[in-house]
């Protein structure tokens, strides 16, 4: 599985104030308490019905697909499908 | 559960601890809110892992739970993707807000003209990387994670650049506010002066006309 790169590790250390090793070794409630102390207020849950940009981006996955349709040509999709079918046939034969 | 699946679950938990927990902490610091969609993915992940263990004695009962393990794997990858997407959006929104707040100032004046080319270069790079990551997500979600991470690194590089130059941006903004205030003051001053002058002249001209009228009448009389 994936591991975070050095830049991300440095970024987390700088902006959160704790390194990855510390965060991963302590409980989530301890991390939250540390963050609340750092930002000077309680972490809150989004209000019911509130749609932050993050939330809408994560839930409306269909939008991403619609966005992508503008960038991918039909020929490209056909080509990819053809190669997938081709590889599947090779695997089936072997 | 087989030994192989158990090792996979162990790997998932390692990923959760070493990758997702720090990223969630970073999102919390940046947004000051709990990232509910990501926590929801964590709940779904735990549900699949819990199904791999026996209900009564809580141990592996030798049954192959490949489906459950694969579903748990899907959720852990989605959790990573959601973390990186959220961080990309945070970076994107930050840059968008900065551009909105700095819409009246000339960005080329910041840091003796060094800021804007650098800002433009990294912003272009970040949006290109994000675009590539989105395209990659269709074919290979785990590879897309790597690209999303690189893109969010670039966005945070822009944030650091903006924060480094925040003092000169603030100075330029306050200079703009002063120039607007001076313009408004000069407008009212000019209106006031023109009001006085026009009143003076209108009275003088009226008096002049009256005098001229009397003079002409007197001549004819």
């Amino acid at each position: 599985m994936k591991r975070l790169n050095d830049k991300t590790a440095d970024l987390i250390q700088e902006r959160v104030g704790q390194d990855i090793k510390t965060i991963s070794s302590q409980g989530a409630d301890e991390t939250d308490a540390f963050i609340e102390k750092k930002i000077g207020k309680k972490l809150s849950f989004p209000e019911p019905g509130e749609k932050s940009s993050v939330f809408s981006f994560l839930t409306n996955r269909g939008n991403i697909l619609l966005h992508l349709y503008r960038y991918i040509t039909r020929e490209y999709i056909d080509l990819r499908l053809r190669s997938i079918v081709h590889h599947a046939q090779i695997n089936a034969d072997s | 559960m087989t030994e192989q699946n158990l090792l996979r679950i162990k790997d998932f938990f390692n990923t959760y601890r070493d990758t997702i927990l720090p990223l969630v902490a970073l999102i919390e610091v940046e947004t000051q809110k709990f990232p509910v969609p990501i926590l929801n993915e964590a709940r779904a992940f735990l549900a699949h892992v819990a199904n791999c263990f026996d209900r009564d004695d809580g141990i592996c009962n030798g049954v192959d739970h490949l489906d459950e393990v694969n579903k748990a794997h899907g959720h852990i990858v989605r959790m990573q993707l959601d973390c990186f997407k959220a961080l990309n959006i945070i970076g994107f929104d930050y840059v968008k807000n900065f551009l909105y707040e700095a819409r009246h100032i000339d960005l080329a004046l910041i840091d003796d003209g060094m800021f804007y080319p650098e800002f433009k270069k990294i912003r272009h790079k970040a949006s290109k990387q994000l675009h590539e990551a989105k395209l990659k997500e269709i074919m290979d979600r785990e590879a897309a994670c790597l690209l999303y991470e690189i893109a969010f690194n670039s966005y945070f590089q822009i944030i650091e650049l903006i924060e480094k130059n925040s003092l000169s941006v603030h100075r330029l903004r306050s200079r703009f506010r002063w120039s607007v205030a001076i313009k408004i003051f000069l407008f009212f001053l000019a209106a006031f002066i023109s009001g006085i002058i026009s009143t003076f002249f209108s009275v003088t001209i009226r008096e002049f006309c009256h005098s001229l009228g009397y003079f002409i009448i007197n001549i004819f009389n």
Side-chain angles (χ1 to χ4, degrees):
Chain A
M1 292 293 275
K2 194 189 166 336
R3 295 281 171 270
L4 296 174
N5 66 27
D6 291 345
K7 268 189 186 176
T8 310
D10 292 345
L11 202 67
I12 287 168
Q13 163 111 45
E14 191 188 316
R15 299 191 84 90
V16 179
Q18 283 182 332
D19 60 351
I20 289 180
K21 211 174 171 186
T22 315
I23 295 170
S24 56
S25 63
Q26 67 192 8
D29 49 348
E30 285 171 285
T31 310
D32 287 347
F34 178 81
I35 290 168
E36 282 169 357
K37 201 175 163 189
K38 183 183 165 69
I39 61 176
K41 65 185 237 188
K42 285 252 170 207
L43 286 166
S44 60
F45 284 100
E47 294 292 319
E50 180 192 340
K51 261 201 157 188
S52 66
S53 58
V54 172
F55 187 79
S56 61
F57 190 85
L58 297 179
T59 51
N60 297 335
R61 289 197 176 89
N63 281 353
I64 301 168
L65 199 66
L66 284 175
H67 175 77
L68 286 172
Y69 278 141
R70 277 184 272 164
Y71 294 104
I72 303 173
T73 59
R74 219 181 165 77
E75 287 76 28
Y76 178 76
I77 294 170
D78 288 346
L79 196 73
R80 294 299 306 177
L81 284 173
R82 213 176 296 150
S83 82
I84 289 165
V85 172
H86 178 65
H87 284 292
Q89 277 172 350
I90 290 170
N91 286 338
D93 292 343
S94 63
Chain B
M1 188 162 42
T2 58
E3 187 70 22
Q4 196 188 357
N5 283 345
L6 202 60
L7 282 173
R8 280 181 74 193
I9 288 178
K10 195 180 162 193
D11 192 32
F12 298 158
F13 277 113
N14 282 340
T15 306
Y16 178 77
R17 195 187 54 206
D18 297 337
T19 310
I20 292 161
L21 278 181
L23 289 175
V24 167
L26 183 58
I27 294 168
E28 284 178 356
V29 167
E30 297 298 329
T31 60
Q32 306 188 347
K33 279 183 182 170
F34 290 111
V36 176
I38 296 163
L39 302 182
N40 207 27
E41 285 291 345
R43 190 174 67 111
F45 162 72
L46 280 176
H48 289 301
V49 173
N51 285 340
C52 294
F53 294 90
D54 193 77
R55 257 174 217 280
D56 298 324
D57 50 16
I59 54 163
C60 314
N61 50 13
V63 181
D64 187 12
H65 290 95
L66 190 62
D67 271 2
E68 294 291 342
V69 175
N70 284 341
K71 281 176 188 170
H73 179 240
H75 282 295
I76 203 108
V77 172
R78 202 173 298 157
M79 240 190 287
Q80 283 179 333
L81 275 174
D82 284 356
C83 285
F84 288 127
K85 281 180 192 174
L87 287 164
N88 271 303
I89 293 166
I90 290 164
F92 179 83
D93 283 350
Y94 188 95
V95 174
K96 203 170 124 190
N97 283 345
F98 166 74
L99 287 174
Y100 179 76
E101 283 172 12
R103 66 194 182 282
H104 296 303
I105 64 171
D106 188 358
L107 295 177
L109 294 174
I110 302 168
D111 196 17
D112 297 331
M114 300 300 283
F115 170 80
Y116 191 58
E118 183 77 6
F119 171 80
K120 213 174 153 186
K121 195 176 87 186
I122 307 173
R123 193 179 167 215
H124 179 70
K125 191 176 78 177
S127 61
K128 205 174 162 190
Q129 285 164 345
L130 190 59
H131 183 206
E132 281 169 13
K134 278 180 181 176
L135 287 176
K136 193 78 184 169
E137 195 184 340
I138 303 171
M139 303 297 169
D140 186 356
R141 288 194 304 170
E142 284 185 55
C145 273
L146 278 172
L147 297 176
Y148 273 121
E149 186 179 12
I150 293 167
F152 116 77
N153 285 338
S154 298
Y155 270 117
F156 273 73
Q157 209 180 331
I158 305 175
I159 293 176
E160 278 173 6
L161 187 71
I162 292 169
E163 284 176 352
K164 204 175 84 182
N165 290 290
S166 60
L167 193 68
S168 72
V169 173
H170 177 73
R171 214 175 283 151
L172 282 169
R173 278 175 62 195
S174 62
R175 196 191 288 175
F176 169 76
R177 270 189 229 116
W178 270 110
S179 73
V180 170
I182 289 168
K183 274 177 198 165
I184 292 168
F185 174 73
L186 286 176
F187 171 78
F188 280 109
L189 187 71
F192 180 70
I193 291 169
S194 67
I196 291 173
I197 291 170
S198 64
T199 314
F200 172 74
F201 271 109
S202 66
V203 170
T204 316
I205 288 166
R206 206 186 304 142
E207 282 173 358
F208 174 75
C209 291
H210 280 194
S211 314
L212 191 70
Y214 282 125
F215 179 70
I216 292 166
I217 291 164
N218 284 334
I219 287 173
F220 283 109
N221 285 338

